[in-house]
Amino acid sequence: INKAVVDRIIRVDHAGEYGANRIYAGQMAVLGRSSVGPIIQQMWNQEKAHLKKFNELMVAYRVRPTVLLPFWNVAGFVLGAGSALLGKKGAMACTVAVEESISNHYNNQIRTLVEEDPEKYKELLQTIKQFRDDELEHHDIGLEHDAEAAPLYSVLKTAIQLGCKAAIFLSERI
C-alpha cells in the first residue's frame, strides 16, 4: 500500500469524525431536550460509530492522529453549540454545510484510492463509501428540517465550509 496516502486519509478522516462528534455534542447541549433532539442524537450515534471505526483503523495502520485534536475538540463543540443557539434551523444549516463538505471530501478520497488500486484498498474504500452515504443522509435530514430557512443561510454555510476546508487541509498535514 501507499503508506503516505493511507496515513493522510486515515488521519484526516479520524479528525473529521472527531470534529463531527464534537459538533453534535454541542448541538445536543443546546437542543437535546427540544423536538429536534432525537434527530440530532440519531445522527450523532452514526458519527460515534464512524469515529470508533477510524480509531480502529488508526491502530491497524499505525497512523498517528493530528496534533490539532485538542483544537478540534473545542472548535467542534463551539460550532455545534453556536449553530444550535440560532435554533433548530441554525443547527440544521450547520449540519448541511459540514456534511456536504465531508461528502465531497470522501468522494475525493474514493477517487484517489480507485486510481491507486481499488483491490488493494477494498476495505478502506467500503468504509469511506458507507460513511459518505451516511453523511449524505445527514445532509438531506438537515434540508428536510429547514436548514435553508436559517438566518443568513448562505453566509453561514459558506463560512462553515471554508472552516471545513481549512480543517481538512491542516489535519491531513499536521
Side-chain angles (χ1 to χ4, degrees):
I1 66 167
N2 185 334
K3 179 108 170 91
V5 168
V6 171
D7 283 5
R8 190 175 73 235
I9 286 172
I10 292 174
R11 179 177 304 109
V12 71
D13 290 355
H14 174 265
E17 297 298 347
Y18 181 83
N21 270 273
R22 299 304 297 147
I23 290 168
Y24 284 116
Q27 289 181 348
M28 284 299 289
V30 175
L31 295 172
R33 294 177 187 259
S34 74
S35 63
V36 78
I39 294 158
I40 294 170
Q41 185 66 56
Q42 174 193 354
M43 293 186 289
W44 188 15
N45 289 343
Q46 284 185 307
E47 299 296 350
K48 288 176 184 180
H50 295 178
L51 180 58
K52 181 177 186 281
K53 179 64 176 178
F54 276 109
N55 280 331
E56 293 165 2
L57 289 172
M58 290 188 76
V59 172
Y61 286 92
R62 300 176 56 95
V63 177
R64 69 161 179 80
T66 177
V67 299
L68 298 171
L69 281 183
F71 180 75
W72 301 147
N73 178 28
V74 174
F77 189 87
V78 168
L79 176 59
S83 66
L85 287 170
L86 297 173
K88 169 189 148 183
K89 294 171 187 171
M92 292 299 151
C94 176
T95 296
V96 167
V98 170
E99 302 296 22
E100 185 176 294
S101 294
I102 300 311
S103 299
N104 291 335
H105 173 69
Y106 277 154
N107 281 332
N108 291 336
Q109 290 181 336
I110 290 165
R111 278 190 285 281
T112 297
L113 293 173
V114 166
E115 287 170 9
E116 284 275 328
D117 183 345
E119 203 51 44
K120 200 183 293 183
Y121 301 105
K122 189 175 181 178
E123 180 189 348
L124 189 55
L125 276 165
Q126 282 180 318
T127 297
I128 293 172
K129 285 177 183 177
Q130 177 59 55
F131 292 178
R132 181 222 30 220
D133 292 348
D134 291 346
E135 308 304 359
L136 286 170
E137 181 185 341
H138 299 169
H139 170 271
D140 293 347
I141 288 169
L143 290 175
E144 290 166 14
H145 287 87
D146 303 322
E148 294 169 308
L152 300 169
Y153 172 75
S154 60
V155 173
L156 185 62
K157 182 179 175 191
T158 301
I160 291 169
Q161 289 185 327
L162 284 171
C164 288
K165 283 182 182 179
I168 288 167
F169 179 85
L170 293 170
S171 293
E172 281 179 331
R173 291 159 176 81
I174 301 175

